[in-house]
Amino acid sequence: MSKILEVKDLKISFRTTNGTLKAVRDISFNLERGKTLAIVGESGSGKSVTSKAILGILAGNSIIEGGEIIYDGKDLLKITEEEMCKIRGDRISMIFQDPLSSLNPIVKIGKQITEAMLLKNKGTRRSAREDFNSTLALLKESMISAAGGSDKEKIGELVTTFDKFNIEAIKLENDYNTARTAAEELVADIDEFIFMMEKKQKQDVKGRLKDFAAKLKTVRTPYLTKNYDSQLTTMSGELDRARASYQQIKGEGIQLSQEISELLAKLNTLLAELLAQPRPDFFRIGYYMLKNPGDDLSGRPVEEVNEMTLRYLEDNFMNEFIQLAEKGIAHSFNTSLEKKKALLPKLQKACEFYLGSFDKVSARKMLKEIADEVDASIDRLETSKDSIAYTFRTALDNAIDRYFTAIVKNPKEEARYAKQSKKRDALIARGKTVDWKVVPKVVYDLDELKANISAVVDNLILHYENHIAVADSVDFHARSIALVDYFKGKASQIVQHITKRMAKEKAIKLMTEVGIPEPRIRYYQYPFEFSGGMRQRIVIAIALAANPDILICDEPTTALDVTIQAQILELINKLKAERNLSVIFITHDLGVVANMADDIAVMYAGKVVEYGTADDIFYDPRHPYTWALLSSMPDLDTKEKLDAIPGTPPNMIYPPVGDAFAERNKYAMKIDFEQQPPKFEISPTHWAATWLLHPNAPKVEPPRIITDRIERMKKAGGID
């Protein structure tokens, strides 16, 4: 599985009137493509703060003290709000605990579902055109460089032809999409009209028949309707005659004559047959029509046209283009590789520099020098972005900034702490009652921050060394084909225009997909007309409207009753499988994620205290806090009394020195109050941060309620 999202060393605080609250303290995790990561912990553990940081919606008093959130080669903590808007709600969507917080109470739900589709579509099409043009220009430049300039004119002609026939393909596909969309909209209009009539809703029958006839005339494009033109013309005439004769029917507006019902059914059957035709491959046809503008392929079977134009494209253009593109891609890769090799000694020198003594000016100068060379070493023709290289500049800049900020702030914090302590001590010495505490000093370890700077460089060195080690195994032919597919995909995105009618039909399909009954009626209703479970289904539909890569679920079932909770969880699981979604599921209840999580991160007081697969956490829990969560989790077979977690979470304005769970942990040792435990690896997929895993720690068994449950689960054959 490939990583779709990486969170590295994330630290987030909030300014409050009582001091700085440490909400997230140095957490790291990966989200694998197509998997579900559950983040579990009590309220205040930092799980929701983490999810909001991913989406860029933290409160105004938040302080991002460090870390990275890497998605698609970008650090989401460093990009502009304009760039974030292209990702938020489009590539990464979120479902909140209270559905009403995501819904406008005075706007019908249909409009709320469709507005995101319509807003995002224009930007996606523009971005696709920009990506297509810029990548093609880079490919042309690399192909010319690979040929040593000898075939410059030939390569220029090939690239120009590639661009021209893609433009031709876009025109053909746009015409096809327009007509196909008209046909789909007409089917939807007829279905809605019949549905409303069956529900005895008054309709303007003559007006609707006129609309159907007008819409039918727009269902015309050679590659879709060439073999259906006479039937479509006949149907258009029959609609006109039916409209003219309708005035003789009694009960106008609430019932249909058998003649009209049969006519609409016949029209729907015709349109369904028309839409069921195989889709022409306009990428292939575009080249053929560019070279043979007088030919007409539209009346021939689609499979035959696709096969013939593929052979024509390969024989006359694509084989040669692929060969030259392969050389260009190899040249770009090897140029990038040589720059990486040449850069390694400089990176090593920079690593040593940042471990020594330096001032802010020299640190920034070194940053600019190596970051510019790192940018130059990136292979821009790789369709899968190198996130470490792309984010190197911002990561190093952030690490340097934290170091020099700490140099300035540490003395001020020491002085503030000393002043408050002196004042408090003086009041106590005079016999005064002091009901306030001195806010603990927040000072940073400068040696650690300096080491973090060099670690950024060292991480890139290791990444480049691994890249160089596998360079000989790269398949440039496969990369060239992948790049052509990339161009085809971008060209199709350019003509994926979504009309309001299309958006409505997609919204109705989404409503059906998430289990909302009678979506054509409920499309026009307001949020207050739905139950809590149905509102949450609407929010899920809105979140899925842009077909995101990642879905963040922030306690989406907490406000619902148990039966509805189960339905929503099943729905999320179903949608994840059908859409290949990657899901981050946030909850305080381990039981909720038992049958849906692939991996689980247990959070407490801003830290991940245990991390593993679902099997690791449920069958082999190691941290006392995980034991506490499991011991308080009800099930049908547990007979003994459930264990409540004693005490309350710590006040994170005054973060504990050692293990944050020590005060509530009956297994706590002296060291737990003095020093934070490191991560102890239990298996390649499982670790926990508890001193109980230290070799010198006393042997402690999990509570009996947990061991008994594990035995029952094993006998039953699984967590479910």
Side-chain angles (χ1 to χ4, degrees):
M1 284 284 184
S2 59
K3 291 180 288 190
I4 191 170
L5 184 79
E6 299 175 72
V7 175
K8 301 178 181 178
D9 306 319
L10 185 63
K11 300 175 185 175
I12 301 172
S13 298
F14 290 90
R15 298 182 188 90
T16 73
T17 54
N18 296 320
T20 302
L21 186 147
K22 302 290 183 181
V24 174
R25 303 187 294 159
D26 197 19
I27 69 167
S28 300
F29 60 81
N30 297 327
L31 176 64
E32 303 291 333
R33 192 176 297 276
K35 286 194 172 185
T36 296
L37 169 68
I39 303 179
V40 184
E42 292 174 279
S43 297
S45 61
K47 54 191 190 297
S48 293
V49 173
T50 303
S51 67
K52 289 174 182 175
I54 294 171
L55 212 56
I57 54 172
L58 287 169
N61 64 331
S62 62
I63 311 165
I64 298 174
E65 297 182 327
E68 300 170 286
I69 301 175
I70 308 300
Y71 170 76
D72 193 29
K74 300 182 180 74
D75 183 352
L76 301 184
L77 298 177
K78 307 296 187 306
I79 62 176
T80 64
E81 178 61 20
E82 183 180 358
E83 290 177 293
M84 193 70 215
C85 280
K86 296 177 182 178
I87 295 173
R88 185 191 301 127
D90 188 3
R91 307 275 34 98
I92 304 176
S93 288
M94 190 166 182
I95 305 168
F96 294 92
Q97 178 175 333
D98 179 7
L100 281 178
S101 67
S102 305
L103 297 171
N104 188 329
I106 59 171
V107 176
K108 294 174 182 178
I109 65 155
K111 184 174 182 180
Q112 296 192 57
I113 297 174
T114 58
E115 62 183 353
M117 302 181 207
L118 297 170
L119 286 171
K120 294 287 183 181
N121 178 246
K122 187 176 181 181
T124 300
R125 293 167 63 208
R126 181 174 60 249
S127 177
R129 167 54 75 184
E130 291 170 356
D131 291 344
F132 183 99
N133 289 339
S134 61
T135 306
L136 186 59
L138 286 171
L139 179 61
K140 177 182 177 181
E141 182 182 338
S142 190
M143 288 165 67
I144 292 171
S145 297
S150 58
D151 292 331
K152 185 175 181 179
E153 290 185 7
K154 181 181 179 181
I155 291 169
E157 183 180 340
L158 279 171
V159 172
T160 299
T161 300
F162 185 81
D163 190 37
K164 283 183 177 179
F165 87 70
N166 269 282
I167 292 172
E168 184 68 25
I170 287 171
K171 289 178 181 176
L172 292 171
E173 188 169 3
N174 189 53
D175 289 343
Y176 178 90
N177 286 349
T178 300
R180 186 179 179 88
T181 297
E184 290 171 343
E185 289 179 354
L186 181 53
V187 170
D189 286 342
I190 293 170
D191 287 344
E192 183 175 22
F193 172 66
I194 293 172
F195 176 81
M196 291 297 185
M197 294 296 287
E198 289 174 349
K199 294 294 180 181
K200 305 299 182 184
Q201 303 291 310
K202 187 171 177 61
Q203 298 285 301
D204 178 6
V205 177
K206 295 186 72 172
R208 296 305 300 275
L209 291 174
K210 181 180 180 181
D211 291 341
F212 296 159
K215 176 75 77 172
L216 189 59
K217 290 173 184 175
T218 66
V219 183
R220 294 290 192 279
T221 188
Y223 288 96
L224 181 67
T225 61
K226 184 67 177 283
N227 298 322
Y228 293 87
D229 283 345
S230 60
Q231 292 170 270
L232 292 171
T233 301
T234 300
M235 290 300 303
S236 183
E238 290 185 21
L239 283 170
D240 287 335
R241 286 191 293 274
R243 179 173 62 88
S245 63
Y246 183 76
Q247 59 189 357
Q248 301 170 12
I249 306 298
K250 295 181 179 180
E252 181 174 353
I254 60 171
Q255 63 183 30
L256 290 177
S257 67
Q258 184 176 352
E259 177 192 359
I260 293 178
S261 296
E262 290 176 353
L263 175 60
L264 293 179
K266 183 180 175 182
L267 177 56
N268 255 356
T269 301
L270 175 63
L271 291 172
E273 182 182 330
L274 183 149
L275 290 169
Q277 296 177 98
R279 188 179 183 88
D281 191 320
F282 292 105
F283 180 79
R284 305 169 184 179
I285 296 171
Y287 178 76
Y288 184 89
M289 296 309 298
L290 180 69
K291 296 298 182 181
N292 305 276
D295 283 9
D296 183 7
L297 303 177
S298 59
R300 296 165 61 177
V302 173
E303 295 92 337
E304 180 186 316
V305 171
N306 286 346
E307 185 61 31
M308 184 273 288
T309 52
L310 173 61
R311 291 196 303 270
Y312 187 86
L313 174 63
E314 289 178 341
D315 295 343
N316 294 281
F317 178 83
M318 192 52 69
N319 288 337
E320 183 180 15
F321 182 81
I322 287 285
Q323 288 176 1
L324 289 170
E326 186 176 332
K327 292 178 181 178
I329 290 168
H331 175 78
S332 177
F333 176 87
N334 290 324
T335 301
S336 170
L337 185 67
E338 291 307 313
K339 288 180 178 179
K340 288 178 172 68
K341 290 178 179 177
L343 187 53
L344 279 176
K346 296 179 182 178
L347 290 173
Q348 192 61 55
K349 183 180 176 182
C351 194
E352 294 169 0
F353 169 82
Y354 285 121
L355 285 173
S357 299
F358 52 84
D359 57 26
K360 195 170 186 177
V361 173
S362 61
R364 295 286 183 192
K365 183 179 179 182
M366 176 63 76
L367 162 66
K368 187 179 187 311
E369 289 175 3
I370 59 172
D372 287 347
E373 293 198 43
V374 169
D375 287 345
S377 73
I378 294 173
D379 182 4
R380 304 286 174 177
L381 287 179
E382 278 190 303
T383 53
S384 180
K385 292 181 179 178
D386 182 350
S387 61
I388 294 177
Y390 272 94
T391 60
F392 174 77
R393 185 187 296 271
T394 55
L396 185 57
D397 182 59
N398 189 48
I400 291 170
D401 184 62
R402 288 201 302 270
Y403 174 69
F404 284 104
T405 299
I407 289 176
V408 174
K409 287 189 173 181
N410 276 2
K412 292 181 179 178
E413 187 68 359
E414 292 279 11
R416 191 270 312 158
Y417 179 76
K419 182 179 179 181
Q420 286 188 357
S421 298
K422 184 178 179 181
K423 180 179 179 181
R424 190 174 189 277
D425 292 343
L427 289 171
I428 293 173
R430 294 205 301 267
K432 301 286 187 180
T433 300
V434 180
D435 58 358
W436 52 272
K437 293 181 180 179
V438 176
V439 177
K441 58 185 174 184
V442 181
V443 294
Y444 298 93
D445 187 332
L446 296 181
D447 290 335
E448 181 184 342
L449 291 176
K450 184 185 284 188
N452 289 345
I453 298 173
S454 62
V456 174
V457 184
D458 197 47
N459 187 36
L460 184 66
I461 292 172
L462 181 62
H463 177 65
Y464 275 7
E465 287 175 343
N466 292 336
H467 186 90
I468 293 165
V470 299
D472 292 338
S473 63
V474 175
D475 186 343
F476 295 113
H477 182 69
R479 284 199 176 193
S480 63
I481 293 173
L483 188 59
V484 170
D485 288 340
Y486 171 84
F487 284 124
K488 288 171 66 176
K490 291 297 177 184
S492 289
Q493 283 183 11
I494 293 169
V495 292
Q496 284 177 357
H497 180 64
I498 297 178
T499 64
K500 289 184 178 180
R501 193 69 183 83
M502 288 172 64
K504 178 184 176 182
E505 286 310 306
K506 186 176 179 182
I508 289 171
K509 287 178 182 177
L510 277 171
M511 291 169 70
T512 303
E513 189 177 359
V514 299
I516 297 175
E518 298 189 330
R520 292 192 180 278
I521 290 179
R522 311 214 75 174
Y523 180 90
Y524 297 101
Q525 293 180 336
Y526 292 92
F528 70 83
E529 297 179 81
F530 293 80
S531 66
M534 283 297 163
R535 288 183 197 132
Q536 196 64 283
R537 291 174 187 269
I538 294 165
V539 171
I540 293 172
I542 293 171
L544 296 176
N547 197 25
D549 296 325
I550 298 172
L551 180 65
I552 301 173
C553 306
D554 189 356
E555 305 218 37
T557 61
T558 302
L560 307 175
D561 63 63
V562 176
T563 305
I564 304 302
Q565 278 189 27
Q567 293 174 6
I568 296 297
L569 293 175
E570 287 174 10
L571 174 62
I572 293 170
N573 256 353
K574 178 175 79 78
L575 294 171
K576 170 200 164 186
E578 292 173 352
R579 293 169 168 262
N580 194 31
L581 279 169
S582 303
V583 178
I584 296 177
F585 196 98
I586 293 164
T587 181
H588 63 274
D589 184 356
L590 266 171
V592 168
V593 296
N595 67 343
M596 66 183 302
D598 297 293
D599 300 298
I600 297 175
V602 180
M603 281 193 74
Y604 185 78
K607 280 187 168 292
V608 176
V609 296
E610 186 164 5
Y611 189 96
T613 64
D615 282 351
D616 291 332
I617 300 301
F618 282 97
Y619 287 107
D620 189 23
R622 296 298 186 94
H623 196 285
Y625 181 60
T626 311
W627 294 348
L629 290 176
L630 288 168
S631 298
S632 62
M633 184 180 80
D635 66 39
L636 294 176
D637 299 313
T638 299
K639 300 295 188 290
E640 58 265 39
K641 182 181 177 182
L642 297 176
D643 291 340
I645 305 176
T648 58
N651 182 350
M652 295 310 293
I653 294 175
Y654 311 97
V657 176
D659 186 343
F661 191 58
E663 291 284 355
R664 309 172 71 189
N665 180 11
K666 63 182 178 181
Y667 308 103
M669 300 175 288
K670 182 181 177 184
I671 193 172
D672 284 303
F673 296 92
E674 298 173 347
Q675 190 175 341
Q676 287 187 13
K679 297 175 183 177
F680 291 95
E681 184 176 302
I682 301 154
S683 74
T685 61
H686 188 195
W687 60 261
T690 171
W691 286 115
L692 291 177
L693 293 176
H694 192 279
N696 298 333
K699 181 68 173 175
V700 175
E701 293 294 332
R704 183 176 175 182
I705 189 174
I706 295 176
T707 56
D708 288 350
R709 181 182 285 144
I710 290 172
E711 287 303 314
R712 287 198 304 273
M713 288 194 298
K714 287 180 177 178
K715 288 178 181 177
I719 295 170
D720 296 357

